[in-house]
Amino acid sequence: MKAKLEQITKVALEAIEAATSVDHLNDVKVSYLGKKGELSKLLKGMKDVAPEDRPKVGQMVNEARAKIEEQMEEAKTSIMKKIREEKMKKEVIDVTLPGTKVNVGHRHPNQIALEDLERVFIGMGYEVVEGPEVEYDRYNFELLNIPANHPAKDEQDTFYITKDILLRTQTSPVQARIMETGRMPIRVLSPGRVFRSDEVDATHSPSFHQVEGLVVDKGITFADLKGTLQQWAQEFFGPETKVKFRPHHFPFTEPSAEVDITCFKCGGKGCRMCKGSGWIEILGCGMVHPKVLKDCGIDPEVYSGFAFGIGLERVTLLKSEIDDMRLLYENDARFLKQF
Ligand code: DAH
């Protein structure tokens, strides 16, 4: 029996040594250590061994099993190591090869201008809020002191979904929505897309963007409005920029003004950019009309406020010196890449 055991062990160890893969090793394991393997077969012969010799034979079989198992583990480790080394050799990276070029997009000129603009107002403590593009007539017109039959409604003809629901013509309805919440004081900036029934040309589009500003608190005056816009213009267009307020009319502000800035190209001397005048019209603004405050649930005897509306495309075109608004919507990568 001893000779047989030594023979099995010898052959098993040889088979382990000859194995070149983990699968091979597993086969060896099954045929020598498995339930129907050589060692099990040998143990079946125990009944023919004299009872006093059985513990010794049992110990020998266990030793042989341990030896085979140990060799097997070692062989497995060395095979795995070899596989890993070969894999690493195959996967060597040639860092001198040219890489695959990834085309990364970048921000649209409108977005660049908007983020620059927002940064200035956020610095002054404004919060950025957004309102719906599909709006009720009540917010877009009625609460802004533009009742049915008001001529301003003709100038801002739009796309109606029903008689009372439309695509907003301005971002000013966000003013009414914010005031209605009753939270005071108010200091918000509201950028967004607006719609008008306009023909497309170099300065018009049926869909464009505005940035609305609104401040309401106790004791807000026209001086606050002037100081705020002056500060913005200098930070946004350059420290030399001057602002000029021209009287104007908007139904929802009283008094109202249009604001011009000195041309940042020529500094006010007159050039192609400002059409020789030295000034560039930039936005509409005014003190919130007491009727608008009242209709939105704010007591005009206690509170006052100012508002302004900036045409985002206008500012983008000026800042990036683009002379046709249509270029902003065509999404030609060759154009957009330049900003
Ligand atoms: N909503 C106006 C427009 O689209 C622009 C405007 C003017 C907004 C005066 C204002 C403002 O907030 O006070 O023409």
Side-chain angles (χ1 to χ4, degrees):
M1 186 126 179
K2 191 177 169 203
K4 209 167 172 198
L5 185 59
E6 274 170 1
Q7 173 65 16
I8 292 173
T9 311
K10 185 169 167 260
V11 178
L13 294 183
E14 276 168 10
I16 290 169
E17 200 162 334
T20 51
S21 72
V22 177
D23 282 349
H24 265 162
L25 277 180
N26 281 338
D27 292 346
V28 176
K29 192 172 178 179
V30 172
S31 50
Y32 291 92
L33 306 179
K35 256 194 204 143
K36 291 178 185 157
E38 297 296 329
L39 281 187
S40 302
K41 271 189 223 157
L42 193 71
L43 281 175
K44 277 192 193 130
M46 272 294 227
K47 57 182 187 312
D48 304 327
V49 175
E52 65 273 20
D53 288 342
R54 282 183 194 164
K56 210 161 163 226
V57 173
Q59 198 190 342
M60 270 161 47
V61 172
N62 281 344
E63 275 166 12
R65 173 183 289 273
K67 195 162 180 193
I68 294 171
E69 271 172 357
E70 190 189 325
Q71 282 297 102
M72 200 159 282
E73 267 320 298
E74 262 173 40
K76 193 169 170 188
T77 313
S78 107
I79 288 173
M80 301 280 271
K81 194 172 159 212
K82 223 173 168 176
I83 292 174
R84 209 167 36 242
E85 275 167 5
E86 262 164 34
K87 196 167 166 216
M88 280 188 10
K89 240 186 252 162
K90 249 191 266 160
E91 285 177 3
V92 165
I93 296 168
D94 181 353
V95 290
T96 63
L97 283 176
T100 322
K101 203 165 168 222
V102 183
N103 272 326
V104 180
H106 73 102
R107 294 178 302 157
H108 189 277
N110 255 351
Q111 188 64 22
I112 296 171
L114 176 60
E115 284 172 18
D116 285 351
L117 196 154
E118 283 180 350
R119 201 171 306 124
V120 179
F121 284 102
I122 288 169
M124 292 194 241
Y126 285 60
E127 185 191 348
V128 178
V129 297
E130 282 186 24
E133 290 173 4
V134 179
E135 186 56 284
Y136 290 104
D137 178 284
R138 178 177 145 77
Y139 289 105
N140 196 81
F141 292 125
E142 201 80 24
L143 283 172
L144 296 175
N145 201 21
I146 308 172
N149 305 322
H150 192 288
K153 254 183 139 161
D154 261 355
E155 282 161 31
Q156 298 193 10
D157 189 20
T158 181
F159 307 89
Y160 283 81
I161 286 152
T162 66
K163 199 167 89 27
D164 305 318
I165 299 175
L166 44 82
L167 298 188
R168 66 177 177 186
T169 60
Q170 45 189 354
T171 42
S172 304
V174 184
Q175 288 188 30
R177 285 181 171 272
I178 295 290
M179 285 193 268
E180 243 188 15
T181 66
R183 278 199 298 271
M184 285 290 176
I186 296 168
R187 206 182 291 148
V188 294
L189 197 68
S190 188
R193 195 210 292 245
V194 300
F195 305 84
R196 299 209 186 161
S197 172
D198 260 338
E199 295 288 332
V200 177
D201 65 25
T203 52
H204 291 87
S205 161
S207 158
F208 57 103
H209 300 80
Q210 291 185 334
V211 185
E212 195 78 14
L214 174 69
V215 170
V216 182
D217 200 352
K218 287 178 182 158
I220 298 292
T221 68
F222 204 94
D224 296 312
L225 171 61
K226 279 186 97 166
T228 300
L229 292 178
Q230 163 96 40
Q231 181 68 23
W232 167 66
Q234 286 179 343
E235 281 193 48
F236 192 78
F237 291 105
E240 309 299 322
T241 313
K242 292 199 185 75
V243 292
K244 176 167 80 179
F245 286 69
R246 275 184 292 103
H248 198 76
H249 172 262
F250 295 106
F252 40 91
T253 43
E254 181 58 35
S256 305
E258 273 188 336
V259 173
D260 301 341
I261 56 161
T262 43
C263 176
F264 51 85
K265 192 90 202 262
C266 64
K269 285 193 227 42
C271 67
R272 208 171 72 92
M273 187 91 163
C274 55
K275 300 194 182 83
S277 78
W279 293 94
I280 295 172
E281 185 194 321
I282 205 83
L283 60 88
C285 65
M287 299 305 291
V288 182
H289 198 297
K291 180 167 173 9
V292 173
L293 287 173
K294 202 156 145 253
D295 289 351
C296 294
I298 294 171
D299 185 350
E301 297 296 329
V302 181
Y303 290 99
S304 56
F306 66 74
F308 56 87
I310 303 171
L312 182 60
E313 276 80 356
R314 181 153 179 76
V315 167
T316 304
L317 298 181
L318 284 170
K319 246 204 144 178
S320 306
E321 296 185 33
I322 305 167
D323 56 11
D324 193 327
M325 185 176 181
R326 286 167 287 197
L327 288 165
L328 293 178
Y329 303 126
E330 281 165 2
N331 285 338
D332 184 331
R334 289 167 304 178
F335 167 76
L336 294 173
K337 243 184 357 213
Q338 301 171 58
F339 301 94

